Amino acid sequence: MSAETVDIRELGAQGDGVAHTETGPVFVPFTLPGETVSIAREKAKATLMAVKSASPLRVEPPCPHFGPDGEGGACGGCSLQHYDMAAYRDWKADLVRQALAEQKIDIPLEPLIAAQPGERRRLVLTGLRTDRSVILGFAAARSHQIVPIRVCPIAVPAISQRLDTIRRVATAVATGTAAFRVSVLATVSGLDIAITAPMKLQDRRRLLAIETILGLSEIARVTVDGEVLVEPRRPIIQFGKASVTPVPGGFVQASAIAEGHMAQIVSAHLKPSKRIADLFAGSGTFALRLAESAPVHAVENDKLALAALDAAARATQGLRPVTHQKQDLFRSPLMGMDLKPFDGLVFDPPRAGAEAQSRELARSSIRRIAAVSCNPTTLARDLRFLIDGGYKLLSVQPIDQFLWSPHVEAVALLERKG
């Protein structure tokens, strides 16, 4: 690949700078609009060689692992640490605005709720055993190479200050030479570490691992492929007044602070509702909070998440009845008769959105709906179904819980006209 010089016009949806060339757009990580850069190009993707003319919005990244000159390689965990914070936040809100515009939805956005460093309570790391030790970190940008990290400014102190502890746990468990995943969640009672790996622990290795981990006071639980290896304390996260034991490695909102904002917005909107449905309910992020004021029916396809939700609901005093139902809402959405008992509803699907369910909701008589999403594109598509079905879009609130990444959360509130 020979070097060439290009001008960066704008940021793409994934946070890469975009240069327009005779052969089409070229995407250059770690660059900003208005910059002239030298690149090594391969088709539409390029590697940054040097910044010849920097943008006035370029700032010093706070993490030593970030960027093409990052310690250990270019960590792929963040995309935009080199961008001025105010401009970065404008760009984040624009991701939501542009997605809505593509569906011809015109509504002023609420001001972005900004993420701060040190708020991320959940990280998914990659580990790899070498001849000398275990490498633990994030995959490099556009690569399977693991960048070992010693600091992580996005993570809560309970994680960022204990990366050596997490590495010791991974070292105690790891066998073989295949890469494995280490999901770390900071809970009220300590770190909940879930390891997913193509390996089996033999009895001797298991005993050595348990002995090592039990000496680490920061650990609440360690699981390997869903099986509890050690659990000195039950890991606990709070959903309102309910204490929930999370599913090992299961879905939890990345930031407790962002989750609190989302729950507050959803709860305020659905407060007048007499009976509420929570679709794609997970382990009860919204359901258990909403049950403080109204009966809630939670629908989720993950039986372990539903079990965690049910156990927390039964153990929490002062909640209204919480019922649950296991159902794949992608293949089998709730239909008209299923939805008829509810006058309030929240749905928070995975990134693919809730197309089938939104089509059914558009035909329902539910008075108030809250739509939560980590993908502005699928959210806008689902909102279009609801708007065309007679719902009025009241507000859209962008929330940044994925700091310095191209991902943004949003909460949309709707009410049926008339």
Side-chain angles (χ1 to χ4, degrees):
M1 293 185 293
S2 60
E4 61 181 289
T5 299
V6 296
D7 295 322
I8 304 299
R9 298 285 186 86
E10 70 262 350
L11 286 180
Q14 297 303 309
D16 294 339
V18 182
H20 296 276
T21 71
E22 292 180 355
T23 57
V26 176
F27 298 90
V28 190
F30 312 120
T31 60
L32 297 174
E35 294 187 329
T36 300
V37 298
S38 175
I39 63 170
R41 174 181 173 185
E42 185 174 353
K43 296 183 179 179
K45 296 181 179 180
T47 301
L48 176 64
M49 306 298 289
V51 177
K52 294 189 171 183
S53 175
S55 165
L57 298 176
R58 179 174 283 273
V59 298
E60 188 67 23
C63 180
H65 303 295
F66 178 81
D69 300 320
E71 178 184 314
C75 175
C78 294
S79 304
L80 290 158
Q81 289 191 17
H82 60 304
Y83 202 10
D84 171 79
M85 188 62 83
Y88 156 79
R89 288 171 178 163
D90 287 343
W91 176 78
K92 241 346 170 21
D94 277 342
L95 292 176
V96 180
R97 190 176 293 110
Q98 291 167 11
L100 294 173
E102 288 174 4
Q103 292 291 341
K104 296 181 172 53
I105 299 173
D106 183 15
I107 185 171
L109 295 182
E110 299 296 321
L112 177 81
I113 295 176
Q116 303 295 332
E119 290 185 356
R120 187 81 175 260
R121 67 175 172 184
R122 177 172 58 87
L123 293 182
V124 179
L125 305 164
T126 300
L128 182 68
R129 175 172 285 283
T130 67
D131 291 339
R132 296 184 177 182
S133 63
V134 164
I135 298 173
L136 189 67
F138 293 106
R142 298 178 180 171
S143 170
H144 295 297
Q145 176 190 348
I146 301 171
V147 176
I149 61 169
R150 58 179 178 83
V151 295
C152 186
I154 65 172
V156 294
I159 294 177
S160 62
Q161 294 175 6
R162 293 177 173 85
L163 289 170
D164 283 341
T165 297
I166 298 166
R167 190 174 292 105
R168 286 182 64 188
V169 172
T171 301
V173 173
T175 63
T177 59
F180 55 94
R181 189 179 73 172
V182 182
S183 177
V184 186
L185 175 66
T187 78
V188 173
S189 49
L191 296 180
D192 185 19
I193 300 176
I195 296 174
T196 305
M199 60 190 185
K200 297 294 182 183
L201 287 180
Q202 301 301 321
D203 289 343
R204 175 173 170 76
R205 185 73 185 179
R206 182 182 296 272
L207 291 172
L208 289 173
I210 291 172
E211 183 179 333
T212 300
I213 296 168
L214 285 177
L216 303 173
S217 61
E218 306 95 330
I219 303 300
R221 178 175 68 181
V222 176
T223 59
V224 179
D225 292 331
E227 178 187 352
V228 175
L229 186 62
V230 295
E231 190 179 53
R233 294 173 300 283
R234 190 163 61 100
I236 295 293
I237 52 178
Q238 291 296 135
F239 294 158
K241 62 172 66 173
S243 298
V244 180
T245 298
V247 176
F251 175 78
V252 175
Q253 296 289 352
S255 162
I257 293 173
E259 177 185 275
H261 285 298
M262 288 186 277
Q264 184 177 34
I265 295 166
V266 170
S267 296
H269 181 58
L270 298 182
K271 191 170 182 59
S273 304
K274 301 229 177 343
R275 192 171 185 215
I276 300 170
D278 180 359
L279 309 187
F280 307 95
S283 54
T285 304
F286 297 109
L288 292 169
R289 290 176 166 99
L290 292 168
E292 295 179 20
S293 60
V296 177
H297 183 62
V299 184
E300 166 61 48
N301 195 42
D302 185 335
K303 65 179 182 180
L304 296 179
L306 278 180
L309 184 158
D310 182 58
R314 292 174 183 276
T316 306
Q317 294 184 349
L319 297 185
R320 304 296 298 276
V322 179
T323 55
H324 60 83
Q325 174 180 343
K326 183 181 181 300
Q327 188 159 324
D328 184 346
L329 294 170
F330 291 110
R331 296 184 177 183
S332 180
L334 296 190
M335 309 295 279
M337 291 302 294
D338 304 318
L339 296 167
K340 197 169 183 180
F342 308 107
D343 58 344
L345 181 143
V346 57
F347 66 95
D348 182 12
R351 290 187 60 79
E355 180 175 355
Q357 187 61 73
S358 295
R359 290 180 184 274
E360 295 303 323
L361 289 173
R363 292 190 278 266
S364 77
S365 59
I366 293 172
R367 180 70 175 173
R368 293 168 176 266
I369 292 178
V372 183
S373 175
C374 61
N375 185 340
T377 300
T378 56
L379 173 65
R381 178 202 64 201
D382 296 343
L383 291 178
R384 173 44 65 194
F385 295 138
L386 295 170
I387 293 168
D388 290 347
Y391 281 91
K392 179 181 179 182
L393 182 59
L394 303 178
S395 67
V396 178
Q397 173 69 71
I399 301 173
D400 186 11
Q401 71 165 329
F402 305 102
L403 184 62
W404 293 316
S405 84
H407 304 296
V408 60
E409 201 87 19
V411 181
L413 304 180
L414 304 101
E415 190 172 38
R416 181 162 282 290
K417 296 176 184 178

